[in-house]
């Protein structure tokens, strides 16, 4: 079955990045580089809720990609996908973060009806 994928930028700048993707009933976030409150508010504005998010994928551990992640982890039971090198760096700074799913640098994983494949670009 073909389903439309919608992608919405919640924030896209050097001060914060966060994207919302929806495909059928599957909803994911890519990055959480703005406050958890801002993410939740922006999701509400789109007619959805953080409770509907099936997974969060993090590009890498810089603050403009993870600013709201520790709070989201504390408040929500959402798997957080990141590469092992990013997870090591991130958890050194934010050891209280839970639900981290570590992957090799090149990985492919399925969440609902989406398949997410990493890639490295130099």
């Amino acid at each position: 079955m073909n389903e439309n994928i919608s992608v919405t930028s919640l924030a896209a700048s050097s001060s914060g990045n966060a994207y919302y993707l929806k495909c059928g009933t599957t909803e994911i976030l890519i990055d959480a580089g703005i406050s958890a409150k801002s993410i939740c508010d922006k999701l509400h504005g789109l007619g959805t809720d953080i409770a509907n998010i099936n997974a969060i994928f993090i590009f890498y551990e810089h603050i403009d990609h993870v600013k709201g992640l520790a709070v989201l982890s504390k408040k929500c039971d959402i798997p957080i996908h990141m590469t092992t090198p990013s997870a090591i760096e991130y958890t050194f700074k934010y050891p209280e973060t839970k639900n981290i799913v570590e992957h090799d640098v090149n990985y492919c994983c399925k969440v609902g009806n989406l398949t997410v494949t990493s890639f490295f670009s130099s």
Side-chain angles (χ1 to χ4, degrees), residues 2-97:
N2 286 336
E3 296 197 53
N4 291 329
I5 296 176
S6 65
V7 180
T8 304
S9 173
L10 305 179
S13 74
S14 59
S15 61
N17 296 280
Y19 302 90
Y20 166 74
L21 279 77
K22 181 173 180 160
C23 181
T25 59
T26 303
E27 300 179 48
I28 66 172
L29 288 177
I30 296 179
D31 287 338
I34 56 177
S35 73
K37 181 182 181 331
S38 291
I39 290 171
C40 292
D41 289 348
K42 288 175 184 280
L43 290 173
H44 282 273
L46 295 172
T48 191
D49 189 88
I50 192 68
N52 297 330
I53 300 297
N54 302 100
I56 301 171
F57 288 85
I58 300 299
F59 277 141
Y60 53 95
E61 72 284 355
H62 293 174
I63 194 68
D64 59 320
H65 295 265
V66 299
K67 183 177 182 178
L69 193 58
V71 172
L72 288 175
S73 166
K74 189 181 296 184
K75 294 183 177 227
C76 308
D77 190 26
I78 302 171
I80 301 166
H81 297 265
M82 63 177 73
T83 65
T84 297
S86 288
I88 290 168
E89 288 292 321
Y90 179 80
T91 57
F92 180 76
K93 295 176 186 171
Y94 306 96
E96 71 280 6
T97 304

